[in-house]
């Protein structure tokens, strides 16, 4: 995997390779005590990925009709600063101040999670307002406010703003740039080497180098979609369109074409070995493969992701269990986007596995929904009840067939 500047990738890489997570791209945060905070998903140090893994867990649970516990939601909202921003993780007993390093990625994914579970909408809107306030002049966003724009940060912020109802194409800076033009400036032109792919950032001389993670993220971003975007009903044949005046949709399709061509050669993406690793051969990249699957499905190419899903079913479940909530959630999102059963994915119930990594959910519906069946609400209303109209309809349908809900509650205690 090209190491993504997200806390999820940093932490998972450290777990799998036995090395310390890089700190150059994450906000310095206080190390947690031996007793992890109540309400938090996962058992590893949350310094670099606490908000990320919590939010990603919520997104995966939502598409599987799981309602996270109030304790878990309260923990996430407690990480938010009064400004609306989130850090990767902080000691919530201390107020945010001038030394608190804000994180656009953590803020964006937390906003998406709160919107999708249809809870604490005011807090989600506050986060969206902060994201708008730190937009770079080129139209994009960097990992931290004021840092150079990158494809991953810009894409996840677009997804968050779109889910809160912000017209992203109208977020124009003084020089006329929008978030979409910022992303398009990182696209490699069709006809060139790696045409259709996206760079994470330009090189020192302005050169663009293909980055698989940035490409998968940019496909979603240019379509104005969030991480839990599901499957597009508009099935298309992958193609790479040449031209200097392409629409965001066309540029997104170019990225999808590059991903489809790459996965046609082998069903998984690869990551370069980490510095100091004994094995210097490229290794399978489960996380980026999962993200590519979601990007292909969202852009109308779910059929091009089938071989990758089959590969993930055979090879990715061990990675997900070891990687924790974020990795498990990524597999659930990939399964859902392509119509696979997340409750029987390679012989593993990923939903049960994810639920066991945090406080017991407030409610869990069975069986697993599919992309063509009843879907959860988009979460765009402001009802803070936790169950939107779409969910209530789904519940009624399930109750009508005698399936019902399995409710369980657990008091506050440390994640086992």
């Amino acid at each position: 995997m090209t190491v993504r500047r997200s806390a999820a990738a940093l932490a998972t890489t450290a777990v799998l390779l036995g090395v310390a997570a890089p700190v150059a791209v994450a906000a310095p945060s206080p190390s947690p005590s031996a007793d992890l905070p109540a309400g938090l998903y996962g058992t590893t140090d949350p310094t670099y990925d606490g908000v990320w893994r919590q939010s990603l867990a919520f997104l995966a649970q939502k598409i599987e009709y799981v309602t996270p516990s109030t304790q878990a939601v309260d923990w996430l909202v407690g990480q938010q600063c009064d400004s609306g921003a989130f850090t990767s993780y902080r000691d919530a007993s201390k107020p945010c101040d001038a030394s608190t390093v804000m994180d656009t990625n953590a803020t964006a994914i937390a906003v998406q999670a709160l919107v999708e579970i249809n809870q604490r909408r005011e807090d989600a809107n506050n986060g969206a307002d902060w994201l708008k306030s730190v937009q770079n002049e080129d139209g994009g966003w960097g990992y931290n406010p004021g840092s150079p724009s990158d494809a991953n940060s810009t894409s996840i912020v677009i997804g968050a703003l779109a889910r809160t109802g912000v017209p992203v194409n109208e977020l124009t800076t003084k020089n006329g740039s929008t978030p979409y033009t910022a992303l398009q400036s990182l696209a490699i032109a069709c006809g060139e080497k790696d045409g259709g792919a996206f760079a994470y950032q330009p090189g020192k001389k302005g050169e663009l180098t293909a980055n698989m993670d940035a490409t998968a993220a940019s496909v979603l971003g240019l379509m104005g979609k969030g991480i839990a975007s599901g499957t597009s009903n508009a099935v298309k044949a992958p193609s790479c369109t040449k031209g200097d005046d392409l629409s965001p949709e066309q540029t997104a399709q170019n990225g999808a074409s590059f991903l489809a061509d790459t996965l046609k050669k082998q069903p998984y993406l690869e990551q370069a070995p980490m510095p100091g690793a004994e094995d210097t051969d490229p290794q399978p990249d489960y996380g980026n493969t999962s993200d590519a699957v979601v990007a292909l499905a969202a852009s109308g190419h779910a059929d091009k992701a089938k071989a990758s899903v089959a590969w993930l079913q055979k090879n990715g479940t061990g990675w997900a269990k070891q990687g924790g909530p974020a990795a498990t959630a990524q597999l659930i999102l990939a399964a859902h986007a392509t119509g696979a059963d997340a409750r029987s994915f390679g012989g593993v119930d990923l939903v049960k596995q994810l639920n066991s990594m945090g406080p017991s959910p407030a409610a869990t519906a069975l069986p697993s929904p599919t992309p063509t069946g009843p879907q959860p609400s988009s979460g765009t209303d402001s009802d803070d009840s936790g169950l939107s109209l779409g969910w209530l309809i789904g519940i009624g349908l399930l109750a009508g067939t005698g399936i019902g809900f399995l409710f369980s509650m657990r008091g506050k205690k440390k994640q086992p």
Side-chain angles (χ1 to χ4, degrees):
M1 174 180 72
T2 301
V3 179
R4 179 177 181 172
R5 290 183 60 166
S6 73
L10 292 171
T12 302
T13 300
V15 168
L16 296 183
L17 299 180
V19 297
V23 298
V25 295
S29 305
S31 297
S33 63
D35 294 326
L36 294 174
L40 175 66
Y41 276 73
T43 58
T44 58
D45 184 342
T47 300
Y48 302 107
D49 78 330
V51 169
W52 183 273
R53 75 195 194 201
Q54 191 89 349
S55 302
L56 203 59
F58 288 178
L59 289 170
Q61 287 177 321
K62 170 62 185 289
I63 63 171
E64 292 291 333
Y65 282 35
V66 175
T67 306
S69 71
T70 299
Q71 183 186 43
V73 176
D74 287 345
W75 181 87
L76 179 60
V77 174
Q79 291 288 297
Q80 190 174 31
C81 299
D82 289 343
S83 65
F86 286 78
T87 64
S88 300
Y89 170 83
R90 71 183 185 91
D91 180 354
S93 67
K94 302 176 182 179
C96 300
D97 57 27
S99 65
T100 305
V101 182
M102 308 305 181
D103 180 337
T104 62
N105 288 233
T107 303
I109 196 169
V111 167
Q112 288 192 44
L114 293 175
V115 170
E116 295 303 333
I117 64 173
N118 198 26
Q119 298 188 45
R120 309 295 289 266
R121 183 55 188 267
E122 184 176 346
D123 297 304
N125 291 343
N126 193 21
D129 288 340
W130 179 81
L131 289 169
K132 288 189 291 183
S133 75
V134 295
Q135 183 182 17
N136 287 338
E137 196 58 32
D138 65 1
W141 286 265
Y143 191 88
N144 303 115
S147 62
S149 298
D150 65 78
N152 295 72
S153 299
T154 301
S155 296
I156 193 172
V157 171
I158 288 175
L161 296 178
R163 296 306 296 128
T164 56
V166 174
V168 177
N169 62 325
E170 295 180 10
L171 290 178
T172 306
T173 62
K174 293 179 181 179
N175 64 9
S177 298
T178 71
Y180 295 134
T181 56
L183 275 184
Q184 287 180 296
S185 71
L186 297 172
I188 300 175
C190 297
E192 297 183 8
K193 181 180 182 296
D194 297 325
F198 288 77
Y200 176 75
Q201 287 176 326
K204 293 182 179 180
K205 297 181 180 180
E207 71 276 12
L208 299 179
T209 302
N211 181 304
M212 293 297 181
D213 192 27
T215 301
S218 297
V219 169
L220 292 180
L222 284 169
M223 293 188 298
K225 294 188 176 184
I227 290 177
S229 56
T231 303
S232 170
N233 293 324
V235 179
K236 304 173 183 179
S239 63
C240 201
T241 303
K242 297 181 180 180
D244 297 325
D245 190 26
L246 302 179
S247 68
E249 166 70 17
Q250 288 174 316
T251 312
Q253 289 298 327
N254 289 352
S257 175
F258 176 80
L259 291 174
D261 287 344
T262 301
L263 291 174
K264 186 187 300 182
K265 300 169 187 174
Q266 64 180 20
Y268 60 88
L269 301 178
E270 293 182 334
Q271 63 179 6
M274 292 291 291
E278 294 183 3
D279 190 349
T280 58
D281 293 329
Q283 300 297 313
D285 188 333
Y286 305 97
N288 275 354
T289 300
S290 300
D291 291 346
V293 165
V294 172
L296 285 172
S299 55
H301 311 293
D303 58 320
K304 306 302 180 185
K306 288 183 178 179
S308 297
V309 173
W311 182 86
L312 287 169
Q313 287 178 307
K314 184 177 180 180
N315 301 282
T317 55
W319 164 80
K321 184 175 183 179
Q322 188 176 13
T328 301
Q330 282 182 280
L331 279 195
I332 291 174
L333 293 174
H336 180 81
T338 53
D341 186 356
R343 285 182 166 86
S344 181
F345 193 83
V348 176
D349 186 336
L350 295 175
V351 180
K352 182 178 180 180
Q353 178 171 294
L354 179 60
N355 292 346
S356 71
M357 293 177 176
S360 294
T364 303
L366 296 173
S368 174
T370 65
T372 56
Q375 295 297 293
S377 163
S378 63
T380 55
D381 58 11
S382 58
D383 181 11
D384 284 344
S385 65
L387 287 178
S388 62
L389 178 61
W391 277 41
L392 293 174
I393 293 173
I395 292 171
L397 292 173
L398 292 171
T401 60
I403 297 174
F405 275 94
L406 176 64
F407 290 95
S408 62
M409 294 296 293
R410 182 173 66 184
K412 290 186 178 180
K413 64 180 181 179
K414 186 179 73 174
Q415 158 73 17

